[in-house]
mmCIF file of all heavy atoms in Angstrom:
data_model
loop_
_atom_site.group_PDB
_atom_site.id
_atom_site.type_symbol
_atom_site.label_atom_id
_atom_site.label_comp_id
_atom_site.label_asym_id
_atom_site.label_seq_id
_atom_site.Cartn_x
_atom_site.Cartn_y
_atom_site.Cartn_z
ATOM 1 N N SER A 174 -131.569 -63.684 32.965
ATOM 2 C CA SER A 174 -131.718 -62.230 32.855
ATOM 3 C C SER A 174 -132.396 -61.726 34.125
ATOM 4 O O SER A 174 -133.014 -62.490 34.878
ATOM 5 C CB SER A 174 -132.573 -61.868 31.638
ATOM 6 O OG SER A 174 -133.917 -62.286 31.849
ATOM 7 N N LYS A 175 -132.319 -60.435 34.364
ATOM 8 C CA LYS A 175 -132.959 -59.838 35.548
ATOM 9 C C LYS A 175 -134.469 -60.094 35.516
ATOM 10 O O LYS A 175 -135.072 -60.430 36.537
ATOM 11 C CB LYS A 175 -132.657 -58.332 35.590
ATOM 12 C CG LYS A 175 -133.078 -57.676 36.861
ATOM 13 C CD LYS A 175 -132.228 -58.159 38.017
ATOM 14 C CE LYS A 175 -132.554 -57.397 39.267
ATOM 15 N NZ LYS A 175 -132.002 -58.035 40.451
ATOM 16 N N ARG A 176 -135.078 -59.945 34.347
ATOM 17 C CA ARG A 176 -136.522 -60.179 34.204
ATOM 18 C C ARG A 176 -136.869 -61.636 34.526
ATOM 19 O O ARG A 176 -137.822 -61.908 35.251
ATOM 20 C CB ARG A 176 -136.971 -59.837 32.790
ATOM 21 C CG ARG A 176 -138.443 -60.071 32.559
ATOM 22 C CD ARG A 176 -138.863 -59.605 31.153
ATOM 23 N NE ARG A 176 -140.260 -59.843 30.931
ATOM 24 C CZ ARG A 176 -140.736 -60.907 30.277
ATOM 25 N NH1 ARG A 176 -139.908 -61.802 29.777
ATOM 26 N NH2 ARG A 176 -142.033 -61.068 30.118
ATOM 27 N N SER A 177 -136.074 -62.557 34.020
ATOM 28 C CA SER A 177 -136.325 -63.971 34.285
ATOM 29 C C SER A 177 -136.136 -64.297 35.757
ATOM 30 O O SER A 177 -136.899 -65.060 36.339
ATOM 31 C CB SER A 177 -135.403 -64.847 33.438
ATOM 32 O OG SER A 177 -135.702 -64.700 32.074
ATOM 33 N N GLU A 178 -135.135 -63.683 36.370
ATOM 34 C CA GLU A 178 -134.905 -63.899 37.802
ATOM 35 C C GLU A 178 -136.083 -63.395 38.621
ATOM 36 O O GLU A 178 -136.518 -64.049 39.569
ATOM 37 C CB GLU A 178 -133.623 -63.200 38.236
ATOM 38 C CG GLU A 178 -133.303 -63.427 39.705
ATOM 39 C CD GLU A 178 -132.032 -62.729 40.127
ATOM 40 O OE1 GLU A 178 -130.964 -63.107 39.620
ATOM 41 O OE2 GLU A 178 -132.127 -61.813 40.978
ATOM 42 N N GLU A 179 -136.627 -62.231 38.256
ATOM 43 C CA GLU A 179 -137.787 -61.679 38.958
ATOM 44 C C GLU A 179 -138.999 -62.610 38.823
ATOM 45 O O GLU A 179 -139.711 -62.855 39.798
ATOM 46 C CB GLU A 179 -138.136 -60.293 38.417
ATOM 47 C CG GLU A 179 -137.172 -59.212 38.841
ATOM 48 C CD GLU A 179 -137.240 -58.926 40.326
ATOM 49 O OE1 GLU A 179 -138.350 -58.930 40.897
ATOM 50 O OE2 GLU A 179 -136.179 -58.698 40.927
ATOM 51 N N ARG A 180 -139.241 -63.099 37.624
ATOM 52 C CA ARG A 180 -140.381 -63.990 37.389
ATOM 53 C C ARG A 180 -140.207 -65.307 38.146
ATOM 54 O O ARG A 180 -141.153 -65.816 38.751
ATOM 55 C CB ARG A 180 -140.548 -64.261 35.897
ATOM 56 C CG ARG A 180 -141.006 -63.022 35.131
ATOM 57 C CD ARG A 180 -141.167 -63.285 33.656
ATOM 58 N NE ARG A 180 -142.281 -64.198 33.450
ATOM 59 C CZ ARG A 180 -142.415 -64.978 32.382
ATOM 60 N NH1 ARG A 180 -141.530 -64.947 31.422
ATOM 61 N NH2 ARG A 180 -143.450 -65.779 32.269
ATOM 62 N N LEU A 181 -138.995 -65.843 38.137
ATOM 63 C CA LEU A 181 -138.743 -67.094 38.838
ATOM 64 C C LEU A 181 -138.843 -66.899 40.351
ATOM 65 O O LEU A 181 -139.373 -67.756 41.061
ATOM 66 C CB LEU A 181 -137.374 -67.648 38.448
ATOM 67 C CG LEU A 181 -137.042 -69.064 38.909
ATOM 68 C CD1 LEU A 181 -138.115 -70.064 38.480
ATOM 69 C CD2 LEU A 181 -135.677 -69.491 38.385
ATOM 70 N N THR A 182 -138.386 -65.766 40.849
ATOM 71 C CA THR A 182 -138.508 -65.452 42.272
ATOM 72 C C THR A 182 -139.976 -65.429 42.681
ATOM 73 O O THR A 182 -140.357 -66.009 43.708
ATOM 74 C CB THR A 182 -137.832 -64.105 42.599
ATOM 75 O OG1 THR A 182 -136.440 -64.213 42.308
ATOM 76 C CG2 THR A 182 -138.025 -63.729 44.064
ATOM 77 N N ALA A 183 -140.810 -64.779 41.888
ATOM 78 C CA ALA A 183 -142.251 -64.727 42.181
ATOM 79 C C ALA A 183 -142.852 -66.125 42.177
ATOM 80 O O ALA A 183 -143.691 -66.461 43.023
ATOM 81 C CB ALA A 183 -142.963 -63.834 41.174
ATOM 82 N N TRP A 184 -142.424 -66.958 41.242
ATOM 83 C CA TRP A 184 -142.926 -68.336 41.172
ATOM 84 C C TRP A 184 -142.510 -69.114 42.424
ATOM 85 O O TRP A 184 -143.313 -69.821 43.016
ATOM 86 C CB TRP A 184 -142.413 -69.019 39.904
ATOM 87 C CG TRP A 184 -143.015 -70.365 39.689
ATOM 88 C CD1 TRP A 184 -144.241 -70.645 39.177
ATOM 89 C CD2 TRP A 184 -142.412 -71.619 40.004
ATOM 90 N NE1 TRP A 184 -144.435 -72.008 39.142
ATOM 91 C CE2 TRP A 184 -143.328 -72.630 39.641
ATOM 92 C CE3 TRP A 184 -141.189 -71.992 40.539
ATOM 93 C CZ2 TRP A 184 -143.065 -73.985 39.807
ATOM 94 C CZ3 TRP A 184 -140.916 -73.348 40.695
ATOM 95 C CH2 TRP A 184 -141.851 -74.319 40.335
ATOM 96 N N TYR A 185 -141.252 -68.946 42.849
ATOM 97 C CA TYR A 185 -140.791 -69.628 44.066
ATOM 98 C C TYR A 185 -141.535 -69.126 45.301
ATOM 99 O O TYR A 185 -141.812 -69.900 46.217
ATOM 100 C CB TYR A 185 -139.286 -69.469 44.259
ATOM 101 C CG TYR A 185 -138.459 -70.416 43.430
ATOM 102 C CD1 TYR A 185 -137.407 -69.962 42.661
ATOM 103 C CD2 TYR A 185 -138.723 -71.786 43.412
ATOM 104 C CE1 TYR A 185 -136.635 -70.827 41.903
ATOM 105 C CE2 TYR A 185 -137.961 -72.658 42.652
ATOM 106 C CZ TYR A 185 -136.919 -72.167 41.911
ATOM 107 O OH TYR A 185 -136.153 -73.034 41.155
ATOM 108 N N GLU A 186 -141.858 -67.848 45.348
ATOM 109 C CA GLU A 186 -142.632 -67.334 46.480
ATOM 110 C C GLU A 186 -143.968 -68.066 46.590
ATOM 111 O O GLU A 186 -144.392 -68.438 47.686
ATOM 112 C CB GLU A 186 -142.856 -65.829 46.338
ATOM 113 C CG GLU A 186 -141.618 -65.016 46.574
ATOM 114 C CD GLU A 186 -141.802 -63.538 46.300
ATOM 115 O OE1 GLU A 186 -142.697 -63.162 45.516
ATOM 116 O OE2 GLU A 186 -141.032 -62.760 46.874
ATOM 117 N N THR A 187 -144.617 -68.290 45.460
ATOM 118 C CA THR A 187 -145.868 -69.042 45.461
ATOM 119 C C THR A 187 -145.636 -70.464 45.954
ATOM 120 O O THR A 187 -146.395 -70.983 46.779
ATOM 121 C CB THR A 187 -146.494 -69.061 44.053
ATOM 122 O OG1 THR A 187 -146.790 -67.728 43.674
ATOM 123 C CG2 THR A 187 -147.758 -69.889 44.018
ATOM 124 N N GLN A 188 -144.585 -71.094 45.474
ATOM 125 C CA GLN A 188 -144.278 -72.457 45.899
ATOM 126 C C GLN A 188 -143.999 -72.521 47.397
ATOM 127 O O GLN A 188 -144.423 -73.453 48.080
ATOM 128 C CB GLN A 188 -143.078 -73.015 45.116
ATOM 129 C CG GLN A 188 -143.310 -73.127 43.633
ATOM 130 C CD GLN A 188 -144.574 -73.873 43.300
ATOM 131 O OE1 GLN A 188 -144.754 -75.013 43.701
ATOM 132 N NE2 GLN A 188 -145.478 -73.223 42.583
ATOM 133 N N LEU A 189 -143.288 -71.530 47.913
ATOM 134 C CA LEU A 189 -142.952 -71.519 49.333
ATOM 135 C C LEU A 189 -144.176 -71.335 50.218
ATOM 136 O O LEU A 189 -144.198 -71.764 51.367
ATOM 137 C CB LEU A 189 -141.918 -70.430 49.621
ATOM 138 C CG LEU A 189 -140.530 -70.742 49.081
ATOM 139 C CD1 LEU A 189 -139.677 -69.486 49.039
ATOM 140 C CD2 LEU A 189 -139.866 -71.839 49.905
ATOM 141 N N ALA A 190 -145.207 -70.713 49.705
ATOM 142 C CA ALA A 190 -146.446 -70.547 50.470
ATOM 143 C C ALA A 190 -147.344 -71.767 50.311
ATOM 144 O O ALA A 190 -147.813 -72.339 51.295
ATOM 145 C CB ALA A 190 -147.178 -69.291 50.020
ATOM 146 N N GLU A 191 -147.567 -72.172 49.083
ATOM 147 C CA GLU A 191 -148.567 -73.202 48.812
ATOM 148 C C GLU A 191 -148.055 -74.635 48.952
ATOM 149 O O GLU A 191 -148.844 -75.572 48.927
ATOM 150 C CB GLU A 191 -149.174 -72.970 47.430
ATOM 151 C CG GLU A 191 -149.942 -71.658 47.391
ATOM 152 C CD GLU A 191 -150.596 -71.372 46.058
ATOM 153 O OE1 GLU A 191 -150.427 -72.168 45.111
ATOM 154 O OE2 GLU A 191 -151.283 -70.328 45.971
ATOM 155 N N SER A 192 -146.745 -74.814 49.149
ATOM 156 C CA SER A 192 -146.208 -76.166 49.343
ATOM 157 C C SER A 192 -146.420 -76.676 50.759
ATOM 158 O O SER A 192 -146.325 -77.876 51.011
ATOM 159 C CB SER A 192 -144.716 -76.205 48.997
ATOM 160 O OG SER A 192 -144.532 -76.026 47.617
ATOM 161 N N HIS A 193 -146.695 -75.764 51.685
ATOM 162 C CA HIS A 193 -147.025 -76.199 53.047
ATOM 163 C C HIS A 193 -148.297 -77.046 52.990
ATOM 164 O O HIS A 193 -149.190 -76.787 52.177
ATOM 165 C CB HIS A 193 -147.309 -74.993 53.950
ATOM 166 C CG HIS A 193 -146.096 -74.210 54.333
ATOM 167 N ND1 HIS A 193 -145.111 -74.706 55.166
ATOM 168 C CD2 HIS A 193 -145.713 -72.943 54.015
ATOM 169 C CE1 HIS A 193 -144.189 -73.784 55.347
ATOM 170 N NE2 HIS A 193 -144.521 -72.701 54.656
#
Side-chain angles (χ1 to χ4, degrees):
S174 68
K175 189 68 174 166
R176 179 175 179 262
S177 294
E178 182 180 295
E179 287 292 321
R180 291 180 67 204
L181 190 54
T182 298
W184 187 80
Y185 280 130
E186 288 174 336
T187 298
Q188 298 308 303
L189 289 164
E191 295 181 357
S192 291
H193 287 292

